[in-house]
Amino acid sequence: MNAPNPRPQGRTRPETPQPETPCYGALDLGTNNCRLLIATPTGRGFRVVEAYSRIVRLGEGLSQSGRLSDVAMDRAMAALKVSAEKVRRRRVVKLKAIATQACRSAENGPDFIARVAEETGLKLQIISPREEAQLSVAGCLNLLDRTAEAALVVDVGGGSTELSWVDMQGEGLDADTARFAPGKLPIKAWLSIPIGVVTLAEQFPEGEQATETWFRAMVDRVKAELAAFRHADPMRPVFDADRAHLVGTSGAITSLAGMHLGLRRYDRSRVDGIWMTRDECEAAADLLLNLSPQERAEQPCIGPDRADLVLAGAAILEAVQELWPCSRVRVADRGLREGILMSLMSERPNARRRRRRRRGGRGPGRPQEAAQ
């Protein structure tokens, strides 16, 4: 008879393998970019484990044709296949993949969504402008100045721009993922206009050299769209008294900030969260106006993919600042993806339990006005 195996020395029982911290994913397919963020939850937020971004220009030519072109869809598909592989490799337990203005407005947008599902397994959801505005605010919560009375979050995309007027004295701004709910944010008014950096640049071709007249035409075009919106008028006294601030989230605005800082290469840690005055924003735009398209392409914080779009983004920001003046602008290298992650992580079972334990008292009030 064989002798029994001896018990391992110094161990009374087998070690139980520790479960891996689950990964959550947020994928944002916009008119200009495809962005993926994968993160694990922490106490009050999350820790990013992988980020991916690719300029795909999905909406290129859409404003003229009404359709996504084959070349643009192929560019986007290549980036989506890379994203899908990263999601699989990280074993993401929950993913929300969204598509915005390009797929919302394109005649063949639904067909492209079906093709993405077939070729990559990713199930893109075309979200509404309202949800896009809410998620943009959610992603920027940590950058809101709680001493201000109001904030205007401006999310400049490729095909649309979302603006959200936030009551900083309202409830629902707690960034704790256990209690977070995008629908309960104190957004008093919101607006989505079908103008982004791609559509504006296509409407106003630059020519060989940028001019002040050309730039001003873009500003006036955006102002005409914004001026018709009156639902945020009750908040004007706060802005007129300079008791509010802007938050700008877009590649164009972060590029302006990089120019302002004189960075030799783009550094998110130096850009995300910095404050710029209105004069500094205008000075950065003036600097870009004096550069040729090739010189802009050579700027380390712009590059060739954004050289023809960055001034359109500056024009949108200038239009907002003229209609809703604020002396301070906070630059955000964050937005939709971070808002999606917070929303996903608030749905975790343990997060729901903590939310129930903490529930009590008066809940957040509903927004008085929300309009497109």
Side-chain angles (χ1 to χ4, degrees), residues 91-103:
R91 299 180 181 179
V92 170
V93 297
K94 196 162 190 180
L95 170 74
K96 182 167 184 176
I98 66 165
T100 55
Q101 181 64 20
C103 290

Side-chain angles (χ1 to χ4, degrees), residues 21-24 39-43 45-47 177 345 348:
T21 305
C23 287
Y24 292 75
T40 57
T42 60
F46 54 82
R47 180 179 67 86
T177 55
M345 292 177 187
R348 288 175 293 152

Side-chain angles (χ1 to χ4, degrees), residues 23-226:
C23 287
Y24 292 75
L27 176 65
D28 168 24
L29 178 64
T31 303
N32 196 46
N33 291 277
C34 176
R35 296 186 176 102
L36 171 70
L37 205 59
I38 299 174
T40 57
T42 60
R44 288 179 57 85
F46 54 82
R47 180 179 67 86
V48 174
V49 297
E50 184 149 0
Y52 171 75
S53 179
R54 181 71 57 84
I55 292 178
V56 296
R57 297 204 178 205
L58 178 61
E60 187 173 56
L62 174 61
S63 59
Q64 284 84 33
S65 68
R67 295 178 59 84
L68 303 175
S69 72
D70 291 340
V71 174
M73 288 189 289
D74 288 343
R75 282 196 302 261
M77 189 65 69
L80 288 167
K81 287 178 179 177
V82 172
S83 299
E85 177 56 32
K86 291 180 181 294
V87 167
R88 284 190 287 270
R89 182 166 53 82
R90 290 288 184 177
R91 299 180 181 179
V92 170
V93 297
K94 196 162 190 180
L95 170 74
K96 182 167 184 176
I98 66 165
T100 55
Q101 181 64 20
C103 290
R104 273 198 298 259
S105 60
E107 178 186 331
N108 57 341
D111 293 336
F112 177 65
I113 296 295
R115 177 187 166 191
V116 170
E118 181 179 350
E119 294 188 20
T120 71
L122 296 171
K123 297 180 180 179
L124 287 171
Q125 174 190 355
I126 301 177
I127 64 171
S128 68
R130 179 174 187 169
E131 184 177 359
E132 186 174 356
Q134 289 175 339
L135 291 172
S136 295
V137 173
C140 296
L141 279 181
N142 289 337
L143 298 183
L144 297 178
D145 180 1
R146 303 304 174 93
T147 67
E149 292 185 29
L152 174 52
V153 178
V154 184
D155 181 6
V156 183
S160 66
T161 297
E162 277 67 45
L163 300 94
S164 303
W165 286 261
V166 183
D167 178 8
M168 294 303 299
Q169 299 177 333
E171 298 182 18
L173 292 173
D174 195 318
D176 187 339
T177 55
R179 289 179 285 178
F180 175 73
K184 294 183 179 179
L185 291 168
I187 299 173
K188 294 302 181 182
W190 67 274
L191 169 68
S192 178
I193 62 172
I195 299 175
V197 294
V198 174
T199 50
L200 192 61
E202 289 181 348
Q203 288 177 32
F204 295 87
E206 180 178 345
E208 293 183 4
Q209 181 67 44
T211 66
E212 179 63 37
T213 302
W214 164 78
F215 183 77
R216 190 68 233 172
M218 289 196 292
V219 174
D220 290 342
R221 170 70 182 90
V222 179
K223 284 180 69 176
E225 193 82 24
L226 297 177

Side-chain angles (χ1 to χ4, degrees), residues 319-333:
V320 174
Q321 288 177 314
E322 290 184 8
L323 288 175
W324 292 89
C326 292
S327 61
R328 300 184 303 152
V329 179
R330 197 154 203 195
V331 179
D333 188 343

